[in-house]
Amino acid sequence: MGTYTGTALDEEISPSTVSPSVTVSGAPKPSIVADTINGFGGADRLNGGGGADTINGGDGDDDIWDGSQVGDDGYATSTNTGNVIHGNAGNDRVQISVAETRGDNPVTNTAYGDEGDDEVSLFFGSNEGATATVSPLGTITLHGGSGSDQLWVNSLWWNVNMAGTTAYLYGEDGNDRLEATHSDPNMDGDYYPGNNPDFLYGGLGNDTYLVLEPSDQVVERVGEGYEQDHGLQDRLHASSQRRGAGNEGSL
């Protein structure tokens, strides 16, 4: 467990590297335990290494990737849940990556883009191309903030069953793009829905939604802008389910 505070320089704080200019308290590098990382300024590369981390990008265009550490057998050595990540100012990329463990796979995490045009996402990956023994469980909450942001949740195509997961995506201000949970494309280029409930809140601005199944819900209030609902691709594989049209209206 450690606290890592950057400067106005472009720095890296990760399990493999901590820039010399970073002030360190506690463990010399982030690990699978709960760490606190403050980028402060500059275009930083930040990774808490899994665990319930608190990460603040600070000023600058930051690349924040908080991922599970994976062992030689292809399984994560610990869960990656309970993270709270803020991009802060700048055009940031914020991704939380959850890899399959040999036990439970909790995915409850929260991330904020804050100011700027940000990408905010969560990815779940199973081991070595096999379907996960225990499907991911929990609540994923992603916020865009100000600016035109992109928010999504996805997984590998062979393990897209996220039925135990609920995703809440909040675009907030700006012209945002919100994608309901889906797979990466399979070998044929097809996508699969997540088999889980997604709640997409665009907020102010003219927003675009990708809704893939009936459990995906779009929530818009009167006067918040012009909205568009789309399927991910015409080739979307939806088994026996129809494409979700989203539920758009006033509250």
Side-chain angles (χ1 to χ4, degrees):
M1 181 181 296
T3 299
Y4 310 87
T5 304
T7 67
L9 301 175
D10 298 344
E11 295 162 320
E12 179 174 351
I13 302 172
S14 72
S16 61
T17 302
V18 174
S19 297
S21 52
V22 173
T23 299
V24 177
S25 175
K29 295 178 181 178
S31 65
I32 60 175
V33 298
D35 298 300
T36 300
I37 297 175
N38 298 302
F40 189 68
D44 302 312
R45 300 177 304 280
L46 309 176
N47 180 1
D53 301 314
T54 300
I55 301 177
N56 295 289
D59 295 339
D61 300 339
D62 303 309
D63 190 348
I64 304 174
W65 185 87
D66 192 273
S68 307
Q69 298 187 51
V70 178
D72 294 337
D73 60 358
Y75 288 91
T77 56
S78 68
T79 59
N80 189 22
T81 186
N83 295 288
V84 178
I85 300 177
H86 285 266
N88 300 128
N91 301 324
D92 306 307
R93 182 173 66 175
V94 179
Q95 183 183 66
I96 299 173
S97 180
V98 179
E100 180 189 5
T101 72
R102 289 189 176 274
D104 293 334
N105 294 301
V107 293
T108 297
N109 287 284
T110 303
Y112 302 80
D114 297 316
E115 297 89 355
D117 300 337
D118 306 306
E119 295 181 5
V120 185
S121 64
L122 184 139
F123 174 80
F124 175 77
S126 59
N127 173 54
E128 299 293 324
T131 300
T133 304
V134 180
S135 294
L137 300 172
T139 301
I140 300 165
T141 307
L142 306 179
H143 297 260
S146 62
S148 297
D149 307 305
Q150 299 181 57
L151 288 74
W152 70 89
V153 178
N154 71 317
S155 74
L156 296 170
W157 64 265
W158 54 75
N159 182 223
V160 74
N161 185 13
M162 305 279 282
T165 299
T166 302
Y168 296 90
L169 278 58
Y170 299 89
E172 299 173 348
D173 295 345
N175 301 328
D176 305 308
R177 179 184 180 93
L178 284 67
E179 299 181 7
T181 303
H182 60 81
S183 71
D184 281 345
N186 66 13
M187 291 180 289
D188 296 321
D190 295 327
Y191 293 84
Y192 296 80
N195 300 311
N196 68 299
D198 293 274
F199 298 89
L200 312 180
Y201 297 82
L204 297 175
N206 299 327
D207 305 311
T208 300
Y209 303 92
L210 298 179
V211 289
L212 311 178
E213 55 188 331
S215 60
D216 298 335
Q217 299 188 38
V218 172
V219 182
E220 277 290 340
R221 294 177 173 84
V222 172
E224 288 187 331
Y226 174 76
E227 320 305 330
Q228 300 182 49
D229 293 351
H230 299 291
L232 190 59
Q233 270 195 3
D234 291 337
R235 293 187 298 168
L236 172 68
H237 177 85
S239 299
S240 60
Q241 298 186 15
R242 66 172 175 83
R243 172 190 161 195
N247 299 320
E248 189 173 332
S250 61
L251 293 178

